[in-house]
Amino acid sequence: MAMQRGQWSHAEDLIWGSLVAAARGAALWYGEATGDNAGLKEFVKRIGEEEKDRYIRDAFDHLSALADAAERVRDRRSRVDYLILAMDDLDEGIDRLVARIPGGDDALPSADPDDEVADFGG
C-alpha cells in the first residue's frame, strides 16, 4: 500500500503529539518545568541517560529517523521495513516514558456503554 503525503503528515502529527504528551507527563511527574520543545527534548535525553535507557534517550532522534525513513520510502529509495524498524524504536520509547508516570501504563477503561464501569455522573 502506498502512503499518500497527506496521510503520512497526519500520522506524523499524531506520533509527535504522543511523544510530546508522554514526555510532558513524565516531566510533570519528575517535577520538571519544560516550557518549550528544546527543554522537553533535553529532559527526555537526560532521563534516558540517567536510567541507561536508549529508547527514552533517543526518542526524539527516533522521531526524526521515522520522518526520514518515511521520506525515503515515499521517494522509493528505501524499503518499508526500515520505516517499521524506526516506528518500533519510537513506539518503545513512548511506551517507556508513559510507564514512568504512575498509572500511565494502566489499561484505559472501555468506551463501550454496555460494559460495566464505574459511573461518576452522580
Side-chain angles (χ1 to χ4, degrees), residues 29-103:
W29 176 250
Y30 280 83
E32 298 271 339
T34 54
D36 60 1
N37 288 336
L40 197 59
K41 289 177 184 179
E42 194 175 294
F43 164 77
V44 168
K45 188 174 198 89
R46 188 179 76 244
I47 291 300
E49 288 171 353
E50 288 172 4
E51 297 186 13
K52 295 178 177 48
D53 188 324
R54 74 172 182 88
Y55 290 103
I56 291 176
R57 182 193 67 219
D58 300 338
F60 281 97
D61 293 337
H62 292 312
L63 183 63
S64 295
L66 182 66
D68 292 342
E71 186 65 33
R72 287 193 306 273
V73 168
R74 272 196 300 263
D75 293 343
R76 297 186 182 165
R77 293 179 285 135
S78 181
R79 296 181 351 206
V80 74
D81 53 340
Y82 294 113
L83 180 62
I84 293 167
L85 290 173
M87 180 61 137
D88 286 346
D89 285 345
L90 179 57
D91 181 54
E92 185 66 25
I94 292 170
D95 287 347
R96 289 177 183 217
L97 277 168
V98 169
R100 301 292 182 283
I101 305 166

Side-chain angles (χ1 to χ4, degrees), residues 5-27:
R5 186 169 295 274
Q7 292 171 329
W8 180 250
S9 293
H10 183 66
E12 278 183 300
D13 289 344
L14 293 172
I15 294 166
W16 169 260
S18 296
L19 176 55
V20 168
R24 287 194 195 278

